[in-house]
Amino acid sequence: MQSILELRHLKTLAAIRDTGSLTRAAERLHLTQSALSHQLRQLEEHYAMPLFARKSAPLKLTPAGERLVALADGVLPQIAGTERDIAKLREGEAGSLRIAVECHTCFDWLMPAMDTFRGRWPEVELDIVSGFHADPVGLLFDDRADLAIVSDIDAEARIHFAPLFAYDMVALLANDHPLAGKAWLSAEDFRDETLITYPVPDEMLDLVRQVLKPAGVNPKRRTTELTVAMLQLVASRRGIAALPRWSVQHYLDRGYVVAKPVTENGLTARLYAAMPQERAGAAYLRDFVDIVREVSAAELPGIQLAL
């Protein structure tokens, strides 16, 4: 039997296994769902048997699918490792990766990503620029950081912005809050409330920048550095907040507070890895971005790799 298997097929099968969904697998691979379905149908026609049980949710592998995914699990890491080794031969193994962060909740996924990166690039000096930074991109220009995690793109800057992932921002309310019965919150719903945020400029708050400011809504404010303190204040009816769903899912599962979409269509936020254009092609920086995306896709509920 002549094989039609290509690397793209193995990546597709692994993504479906990891996500349990054709939609999410397509997002992870930057494919349309129809293109991904075409690949899967092509394989199933070639082998004359199904690779996934279509009626299960999440999708489950058939024995034939399990065998092909086992092949993917063996081959794909070897290819990635070989390409990484060749990059080290070409560019050298050493370097520095000083990371600046503007996102208070980023450490939930940044620490596991750094652990993985350290194992792949042990000669690279890995560090976090200490403290929270309102202008992390400025640290790149001052050569005080090599990469910054940011939530917005400055098109005029001499900076390369690599997309990491998109995610839902949700409004958080006490379980007995009068607004808790609404299907979603509008900008007007925030007008007479106290908005609890991190102590950062308004342009770094997606809720304010994308929803409240355009609507001319400027509620009273209260700030705290800690996510858990913010949730305690919300639960105590001291105000309402807006945070990434993935950062508070554990509290939502416990019924500590309730989450509501912001606007009828929801509020989507994005994160990017910013780095100087002249260094953006460095193999270890590109690999770090890939690691962040891999770790986030595996660990964070509800994120979207397709931006």
Side-chain angles (χ1 to χ4, degrees):
M1 181 186 298
Q2 183 176 358
S3 177
I4 66 167
L5 275 178
E6 301 176 11
L7 286 180
R8 63 192 179 100
H9 296 134
L10 297 181
K11 291 178 179 179
T12 292
L13 294 170
I16 297 173
R17 184 271 313 275
D18 292 344
T19 62
S21 158
L22 294 181
T23 300
R24 293 202 64 195
E27 291 174 350
R28 176 181 292 195
L29 297 171
H30 298 286
L31 296 173
T32 64
Q33 187 170 338
S34 61
L36 184 140
S37 297
H38 176 73
Q39 282 191 34
L40 187 57
R41 185 166 58 252
Q42 183 183 36
L43 288 174
E44 290 181 327
E45 289 176 355
H46 176 74
Y47 292 112
M49 57 195 316
L51 303 180
F52 290 89
R54 293 295 200 281
K55 295 183 179 180
S56 63
L59 291 175
K60 292 183 179 179
L61 291 161
T62 64
E66 289 177 352
R67 183 65 187 88
L68 288 174
V69 168
L71 174 65
D73 288 342
V75 170
L76 294 178
Q78 289 187 53
I79 292 174
T82 299
E83 291 182 337
R84 189 161 52 246
D85 290 342
I86 292 173
K88 290 177 181 179
L89 291 172
R90 182 180 66 246
E91 302 175 17
E93 298 186 22
S96 70
L97 179 48
R98 298 162 295 171
I99 303 170
V101 179
E102 72 168 27
C103 163
H104 281 74
T105 54
C106 285
F107 293 97
D108 290 355
W109 51 263
L110 184 57
M111 295 298 103
M114 291 177 68
D115 288 342
T116 300
F117 178 85
R118 194 178 293 110
R120 295 185 185 178
W121 295 87
E123 300 302 319
V124 173
E125 296 182 13
L126 186 60
D127 198 4
I128 295 178
V129 181
S130 117
F132 173 81
H133 302 279
D135 181 24
V137 172
L139 299 178
L140 301 177
F141 287 119
D142 294 339
D143 195 28
R144 294 166 54 198
D146 303 295
L147 182 145
I149 307 298
V150 299
S151 57
D152 201 11
I153 291 178
D154 181 357
E156 298 182 2
R158 301 183 307 277
I159 298 295
H160 173 73
F161 292 90
L164 296 177
F165 54 85
Y167 56 92
D168 290 332
M169 292 284 293
V170 292
L172 300 170
L173 307 96
N175 291 313
D176 59 349
H177 194 287
L179 294 174
K182 297 194 65 174
W184 50 271
L185 301 191
S186 67
E188 281 300 318
D189 289 322
F190 290 84
R191 188 178 294 278
D192 298 323
E193 300 292 332
T194 296
L195 178 62
I196 306 170
T197 71
Y198 298 114
V200 301
D202 280 358
E203 57 266 25
M204 298 175 64
L205 297 171
D206 292 285
L207 172 67
V208 175
R209 187 177 72 247
Q210 296 189 48
V211 178
L212 300 187
K213 189 174 181 179
V217 173
N218 187 21
K220 293 182 292 184
R221 305 292 185 90
R222 181 166 181 173
T223 62
T224 177
E225 289 273 3
L226 301 175
T227 302
V228 65
M230 192 180 299
L231 291 167
Q232 289 175 346
L233 290 170
V234 168
S236 301
R237 294 280 300 272
R238 299 295 183 181
I240 61 180
L243 288 172
R245 178 179 288 276
W246 52 262
S247 72
V248 295
Q249 190 61 55
H250 174 67
Y251 295 94
L252 298 177
D253 292 342
R254 291 166 48 198
Y256 191 70
V257 294
V258 296
K260 295 294 176 179
V262 179
T263 80
E264 187 174 8
N265 296 321
L267 173 58
T268 299
R270 294 168 173 80
L271 286 177
Y272 304 86
M275 60 200 87
Q277 287 181 349
E278 63 271 16
R279 299 197 56 207
Y284 68 86
L285 288 177
R286 288 186 285 109
D287 199 31
F288 180 77
V289 170
D290 288 342
I291 289 170
V292 166
R293 291 167 61 82
E294 291 168 10
V295 169
S296 301
E299 300 293 334
L300 304 181
I303 70 162
Q304 305 161 24
L305 294 185
L307 299 175

